[in-house]
Amino acid sequence: MLTRVVAVLVTPGMADAAPPGVDPAEFLTAMAEDTYEMVAGLELVRPVILSAGVPGLENIAWPGTPVLRIASPADAFAALSAGDETAEEGVVVSADAPDLPPLLIGKLFRELGRAHLAVCPAEGGGAVAVAARLPVAEWAAPDLDEPDAVAAMRRRAPGPRMVATGPGWHRLRKPQDVARLDPGLEGWDNTRALLT
C-alpha cells in the first residue's frame, strides 16, 4: 500500500478573504482549521500542516500532526519529502478552501495512477490542490497561485499526459468569495461560526 501525505498550506495572505467585521487572523485560523480537519479525517493518509509565515498553527493540529515551517509556498513539496522520506505520494491543499469535499482529494490520488501531477483547479485561476508522486521533479514544482496553473505545469512537463486534472473547486481569496461557500456541505464549522 502506498504511503500518502496530505498537507494544508497556510500563508498570511489568505487572511485577506476575511469579510468586513471579521478579524482577519481569526478568519485565517478558522479556514485553516476546517481545511485541516477535513484532511485529518481522510483514511490512509498522514496529515501535515505547512506554515509559510503563520504562527500558532500547532493549536489547531491533532496530536502527532507535524507543523512544518517553510520559507515560501514553493517549498511545499520539498518539505513533504524531507519530513517523511517514506512518503510516495503527496497532496498540497490550500487552506483557503474550508468547504473542500474530501472526495476531491481522493480523485487527485487516483489520477496519479496515470500522471506525475494531478491538479484540482481553482475557480478564477490557480489551484486548490495539487497531488504529486514524491519526490517531486523540479519541473513539477507547482504554484497554487499561478493564474493558469494547469497550463503552466503542462508547458514545463517533459512529455505529454504528465499533468492530469480533477474536478475544480473554489478558494476564498477576497471577502466576496465567502458567498461561494456551500451551506449544504458538512464541515467548515469554524469558518461558518465566524460568518453567522
Side-chain angles (χ1 to χ4, degrees), residues 24-117:
E26 284 183 40
F27 191 71
L28 174 57
T29 300
M31 287 193 305
E33 186 168 6
D34 287 337
T35 306
Y36 165 71
E37 286 182 359
M38 178 276 295
V39 165
L42 295 171
E43 293 184 12
L44 306 175
V45 304
R46 294 184 191 145
V48 174
I49 297 174
L50 298 176
S51 172
V54 178
L57 294 174
E58 294 80 6
N59 298 329
I60 67 170
W62 295 1
T65 297
V67 177
L68 306 176
R69 285 165 182 41
I70 57 175
S72 77
D75 300 325
F77 276 106
L80 290 188
S81 295
D84 185 349
E85 293 177 2
T86 66
E88 298 166 86
E89 295 180 344
V91 176
V92 174
V93 182
S94 184
D96 56 7
D99 64 339
L100 181 68
L103 177 65
L104 296 187
I105 303 295
K107 287 180 181 288
L108 292 180
F109 278 125
R110 189 173 68 214
E111 291 295 333
L112 290 181
R114 63 180 185 92
H116 288 271
L117 287 182

Side-chain angles (χ1 to χ4, degrees), residues 8-11 13-15 17 27-28 31-32 35 93-100 122 127-129 144-145 169-174 177 181 191:
V8 176
L9 174 64
V10 189
T11 65
M14 293 175 180
F27 191 71
L28 174 57
M31 287 193 305
T35 306
V93 182
S94 184
D96 56 7
D99 64 339
L100 181 68
V128 176
L144 298 182
D145 291 320
W169 198 248
H170 51 257
R171 290 172 55 187
L172 307 184
R173 294 185 258 209
K174 303 178 298 266
D177 290 343
L181 291 167
T191 307

Side-chain angles (χ1 to χ4, degrees), residues 118-173:
V119 183
C120 172
E123 292 175 12
V128 176
V130 176
R133 298 177 191 169
L134 300 176
V136 176
E138 282 187 30
W139 68 265
D143 178 354
L144 298 182
D145 291 320
E146 197 162 21
D148 193 345
V150 174
M153 287 183 245
R154 285 182 172 155
R155 275 193 306 272
R156 291 192 300 262
R161 295 185 293 279
M162 297 185 86
V163 179
T165 57
W169 198 248
H170 51 257
R171 290 172 55 187
L172 307 184
R173 294 185 258 209

